[in-house]
Amino acid sequence: MRKQELRKHADPGLKFSPGHGLLHTEAIDYILRTAVRNIAGQRVLAVYLYDRQAAAQGDTAPCYTVFQTRRDYITAENMEGGALKWRSSCLDNLLGGWPRKQCAFYTQKDQERVIRFCELDEVSGLNALALLQARIMATHRRERIIARERKIIETMERVPAKPRDLKGWIHREVLPAYVIYTYRKGKKRLDGWCTSCRHDVKVEGARHNAEGHCPRCGRAVTFKPAGRVGKLYDRATAQVIQRTGGNELLLRIFKAGKSYRPYRGAKEDVWENARFFIRWDDSGEISIEPYYDSYKGITTRWRPGERPGMSPWVRTFEQDACGSLYLRGLGEVLAGTPWQYSQMQAFYAHDHEPLEVLPYLQRYVQRPFIEYLVKLGLYKLAQYAVYGSSRTHVDNTLNFRGRNPREILGVRLEDIPLLQSLDASPEQLTLLRALRGQGIRAEESLLRWYEAHGVSEEGDILRPLRYTTPFKLTRYIENQFERLREQKTEYGMPRYREPRNVLSEYRDYLGIGKALGYDLKNTFVLFPRDLRKAHDTATNLYRPKKDTYVEKAIGAAYPELTKQYGCSRGGFAVIAPQTAKEIVAEGHALRHCVGTYTERMARDEYAILFLRRTADLNAPFVTLRVKDGRLVENRGLQNGDPPADAQKFLKRWERDVLQSAPARMAA
């Protein structure tokens, strides 16, 4: 409808009879009058809404004029000064909620005119108008959706056919397999059914949830008695990478589910859940366009974006994009792409553990050295480079700017075979470098023991190794754990849940013993028969002397810290504190908690340093915390990040001073 033509019919100049009853009915807010016009060659129903009180006082200008056709509608609102404001809302919304009870037609003919125009004989005029407008709104909404979905359909036309053997691959390699057996008391060989090869088999020694292999197809299976599989349901996620042509890859997420009731006729359901179109340009920029299957729609079920969920921290099964990777033809798909040498196929084939493809593709573009790590067989470090680590103290394990494996790992060439034999974790690599920094031989057995027992702090190992050998240390810790594992705290909880708890307490004992002047060369002192008693005794002796010891230790460390880490250039300087009071004052001035680290610094757990502007060396600016030759924290005022110029200086300082300095500080 053309607004220019509609303006001519916005006010028909109709008059009201002064004695008309509607003008004096307080229950009525609006009086409606109607007309059917031919406007610009189109048949239009005009509905004029008059404010009852204004009309009773002689104002004959409509406050609203609704122009209604069979396919559209628009309303002209009469503003002050005679201007018109065009409104696209339906009549109900325009007047606020449900206004029909406050409206009345001026004459019966006005109402009949609306009913005839709307072609709804069995309802009142207002209801007929509301129903027609609701239908038009629904039609417009559908048209908008179809227009939007048309673009999605054009995108989906690039999707190639899914692999022909996809469902078979999911059955064979993704979903778990079982041998479901029928228990017979006294029988050694039991009748069973393999869900993988779908054949009857005979099994021996089958027990509920026991692991084994199918005697026919050889696949690893779990044994289940037939009476317990009625509620068994498996589900899994699979990922397929395909080429759509040009500079675009398509990652497709498939979901699979399988119920075992009845188990002999169990069928897998496989459905596609999400699609990610991954594009790149000549400059190496990567863009990802995600879609998810909404399971409903007018012309397509696909919706742009990632699947919405109830919580940003918890993924549902439908949201999860971590799963098995379809490897057949993957090398050909990635050929000629930025991921041609990404080694993703070898990375996944190493253990076939579920993975997320998107982070791997994104990280490889940023960190192409991942290829080296996979080729060297350092799969755990490659995993860390892609997916990171939940242990914040190893965030700087790898040098992402390194040009070769030695620089990336921060080790000597002769250390790489040891890392390969271990398939070293980030924690093992960190420990190896710390051992090298202290001049201690990195024994494979020690690194394996460290990983097997989940020791979270390499300092728990480094401090004791100043006084003993790895073999003696691990043997002592294991013996003490067997001796103390039943010990409880004063609250009745286990004091030593794992050997690493004993190791941590042993480290504290040695630190306190050093502060008390113990002769740690004496094996009787170094390896107390009852670690718990020795630790508690030393702690009680240490408390009264703590402040004196802390001040003395920090003052003694000042010359060595200045020599190792001191630096002044470009308007900045790194200096070491001479007293514990300086550290506390730093924390007070910058309003952070560095003052609580004085005792740990005295025990050589951390090195606390100050970054100052050379223009005012006495003004606290940024506090640095160094551990094993690594900058683990830098905090400015109120724990804020340092300014950009200070961060730039710190990067150079880390490269030129920190990484070249011997790792004196052991945590």
Side-chain angles (χ1 to χ4, degrees):
M1 291 185 287
R2 297 172 57 186
K3 296 178 182 177
Q4 185 176 1
E5 295 295 329
L6 296 178
R7 286 178 182 273
K8 301 175 183 179
H9 303 272
D11 185 359
L14 300 177
K15 304 297 182 180
F16 289 88
S17 172
H20 198 287
L22 286 180
L23 295 177
H24 308 286
T25 305
E26 294 184 357
I28 299 300
D29 293 331
Y30 296 98
I31 299 174
L32 279 62
R33 304 187 73 170
T34 64
V36 176
R37 308 289 187 190
N38 188 321
I39 303 176
Q42 192 174 17
R43 191 165 178 264
V44 179
L45 171 67
V47 181
Y48 306 103
L49 281 78
Y50 297 87
D51 183 272
R52 181 191 60 80
Q53 294 181 354
Q57 296 174 4
D59 185 356
T60 59
C63 53
Y64 296 102
T65 302
V66 179
F67 295 101
Q68 178 75 51
T69 70
R70 298 292 303 165
R71 297 181 55 84
D72 204 357
Y73 59 86
I74 193 169
T75 300
E77 182 180 0
N78 192 1
M79 309 297 290
E80 292 184 7
L84 293 181
K85 181 177 181 180
W86 296 98
R87 311 289 291 269
S88 59
S89 301
C90 67
L91 185 60
D92 282 353
N93 292 339
L94 189 67
L95 299 182
W98 191 261
R100 301 177 203 174
K101 292 184 178 180
Q102 288 77 42
C103 297
F105 288 98
Y106 188 67
T107 67
Q108 183 64 24
K109 289 185 178 180
D110 287 315
Q111 178 167 225
E112 291 173 354
R113 194 175 290 120
V114 172
I115 294 173
R116 286 196 304 271
F117 185 88
C118 297
E119 298 179 355
L120 294 168
D121 296 335
E122 298 180 0
V123 296
S124 67
L126 282 172
N127 288 340
L129 184 61
L131 286 173
L132 179 58
Q133 290 188 341
R135 291 176 182 177
I136 292 173
M137 278 195 298
T139 301
H140 288 177
R141 187 183 304 112
R142 180 184 178 88
E143 290 172 350
R144 289 194 300 271
I145 292 174
I146 291 174
R148 184 173 65 243
E149 290 182 348
R150 189 176 297 116
K151 298 179 181 179
I152 299 175
I153 292 173
E154 293 174 358
T155 301
M156 295 306 161
E157 288 176 351
R158 302 197 300 269
V159 176
K162 63 183 179 183
R164 296 179 61 183
D165 66 333
L166 177 65
K167 193 169 183 179
W169 168 72
I170 290 175
H171 169 76
R172 294 188 306 271
E173 300 185 29
V174 179
L175 289 170
Y178 304 94
V179 166
I180 301 173
Y181 63 91
T182 303
Y183 177 72
R184 292 288 185 270
K185 187 175 181 179
K187 282 195 174 185
K188 292 184 178 181
R189 288 173 60 83
L190 302 175
D191 295 329
W193 168 266
C194 177
T195 63
S196 179
C197 63
R198 298 189 177 100
H199 280 83
D200 291 308
V201 294
K202 294 285 187 179
V203 294
E204 293 184 7
R207 291 178 291 104
H208 178 54
N209 283 341
E211 304 293 331
H213 291 81
C214 172
R216 189 180 187 280
C217 65
R219 184 177 174 187
V221 297
T222 302
F223 293 105
K224 294 279 188 181
R228 297 197 181 187
V229 296
K231 296 183 179 180
L232 183 62
Y233 183 81
D234 285 322
R235 59 185 188 179
T237 301
Q239 301 172 95
V240 178
I241 303 176
Q242 294 178 308
R243 192 76 173 266
T244 62
N247 290 0
E248 185 178 75
L249 289 178
L250 172 62
L251 172 63
R252 306 174 71 176
I253 308 297
F254 290 89
K255 299 291 181 178
K258 185 175 182 180
S259 175
Y260 294 86
R261 181 185 291 180
Y263 62 85
R264 286 184 178 271
K267 296 181 180 180
E268 292 106 4
D269 292 323
V270 177
W271 65 96
E272 192 168 2
N273 171 271
R275 292 173 176 172
F276 298 88
F277 292 87
I278 306 163
R279 305 183 187 94
W280 67 93
D281 56 27
D282 296 336
S283 66
E285 288 293 323
I286 306 297
S287 64
I288 299 174
E289 187 178 356
Y291 291 86
Y292 68 93
D293 189 349
S294 66
Y295 307 121
K296 61 182 179 180
I298 297 176
T299 59
T300 178
R301 304 192 309 179
W302 293 100
R303 296 287 180 267
E306 296 189 7
R307 185 179 300 279
M310 296 295 292
S311 169
W313 300 282
V314 179
R315 285 186 178 182
T316 64
F317 174 67
E318 290 290 336
Q319 290 177 287
D320 193 13
C322 180
S324 302
L325 178 60
Y326 183 78
L327 296 179
R328 182 171 296 180
L330 182 58
E332 298 177 3
V333 170
L334 297 180
T337 73
W339 302 280
Q340 180 174 354
Y341 305 108
S342 66
Q343 297 298 311
M344 182 166 58
Q345 185 170 356
F347 177 76
Y348 173 71
H350 168 63
D351 54 13
H352 287 273
E353 286 293 322
L355 84 163
E356 279 193 84
V357 169
L358 278 180
Y360 194 102
L361 299 178
Q362 292 171 309
R363 283 297 189 187
Y364 177 76
V365 173
Q366 302 166 357
R367 303 170 180 176
F369 65 80
I370 292 171
E371 174 192 352
Y372 301 151
L373 299 177
V374 177
K375 286 182 176 179
L376 289 171
L378 300 174
Y379 299 102
K380 292 178 182 176
L381 290 174
Q383 177 178 327
Y384 164 72
V386 174
Y387 302 105
S389 172
S390 60
R391 301 182 180 182
T392 56
H393 71 281
V394 295
D395 281 349
N396 298 320
T397 297
L398 300 176
N399 176 13
F400 298 136
R401 299 186 298 271
R403 295 167 295 179
N404 53 57
R406 182 182 62 80
E407 292 182 1
I408 293 166
L409 299 171
V411 297
R412 297 178 292 191
L413 285 176
E414 55 267 30
D415 291 327
I416 294 180
L418 173 60
L419 295 174
Q420 289 177 294
S421 67
L422 294 167
D423 184 11
S425 67
E427 292 75 25
Q428 286 174 311
L429 174 60
T430 303
L431 177 61
L432 183 145
R433 289 205 300 249
L435 291 171
R436 292 297 192 195
Q438 287 198 0
I440 301 173
R441 180 184 174 186
E443 297 183 4
E444 181 176 344
S445 59
L446 175 64
L447 294 171
R448 290 190 182 278
W449 188 91
Y450 178 82
E451 181 73 9
H453 291 287
V455 181
S456 58
E457 291 282 347
E458 61 267 22
D460 288 348
I461 291 286
L462 296 176
R463 181 187 293 280
L465 289 183
R466 298 177 185 178
Y467 308 103
T468 186
T469 65
F471 174 75
K472 290 181 179 180
L473 172 64
T474 55
R475 185 178 63 176
Y476 176 72
I477 296 301
E478 289 173 355
N479 289 339
Q480 284 294 310
F481 178 68
E482 291 301 321
R483 179 187 183 94
L484 301 172
R485 65 189 310 169
E486 302 299 329
Q487 297 285 329
K488 305 288 185 181
T489 66
E490 59 181 315
Y491 303 106
M493 302 299 293
R495 180 165 174 172
Y496 308 97
R497 294 180 182 274
E498 300 177 37
R500 62 181 178 180
N501 303 130
V502 179
L503 178 63
S504 180
E505 192 155 291
Y506 184 56
R507 164 195 173 177
D508 288 343
Y509 165 75
L510 294 178
I512 296 172
K514 177 184 176 183
L516 294 173
Y518 281 9
D519 181 10
L520 296 177
K521 295 181 179 179
N522 185 329
T523 56
F524 177 79
V525 177
L526 183 60
F527 299 117
R529 179 178 178 82
D530 189 325
L531 177 60
R532 176 178 180 172
K533 289 183 179 179
H535 172 272
D536 293 348
T537 300
T539 300
N540 292 332
L541 292 173
Y542 171 71
R543 283 182 182 136
K545 304 178 181 180
K546 180 178 69 173
D547 293 341
T548 302
Y549 167 72
V550 168
E551 285 289 353
K552 182 178 179 181
I554 292 176
Y558 171 76
E560 190 173 357
L561 292 177
T562 300
K563 180 180 179 181
Q564 287 184 344
Y565 304 126
C567 176
S568 179
R569 67 170 67 160
F572 294 98
V574 175
I575 61 177
Q578 299 186 54
T579 66
K581 292 181 180 179
E582 290 183 10
I583 299 176
V584 173
E586 177 93 353
H588 289 169
L590 297 180
R591 301 181 185 179
H592 55 47
C593 62
V594 71
T596 63
Y597 285 89
T598 55
E599 184 177 357
R600 302 182 73 175
M601 180 177 175
R603 295 188 188 181
D604 287 348
E605 294 184 18
Y606 299 110
I608 302 299
L609 303 169
F610 302 151
L611 173 64
R612 302 282 171 82
R613 293 191 184 275
T614 52
D616 191 355
L617 289 175
N618 294 321
F621 178 51
V622 175
T623 310
L624 312 177
R625 184 158 60 95
V626 175
K627 175 181 178 182
D628 299 330
R630 293 180 294 112
L631 179 62
V632 296
E633 192 173 29
N634 54 77
R635 297 287 86 187
L637 181 64
Q638 294 183 334
N639 269 326
D641 293 329
D645 56 346
Q647 292 188 32
K648 186 176 181 180
F649 167 80
L650 287 174
K651 287 182 179 179
R652 293 198 305 268
W653 177 72
E654 283 187 78
R655 182 187 66 238
D656 300 338
V657 178
L658 196 59
Q659 293 179 3
S660 62
R664 173 188 176 275
M665 292 299 161

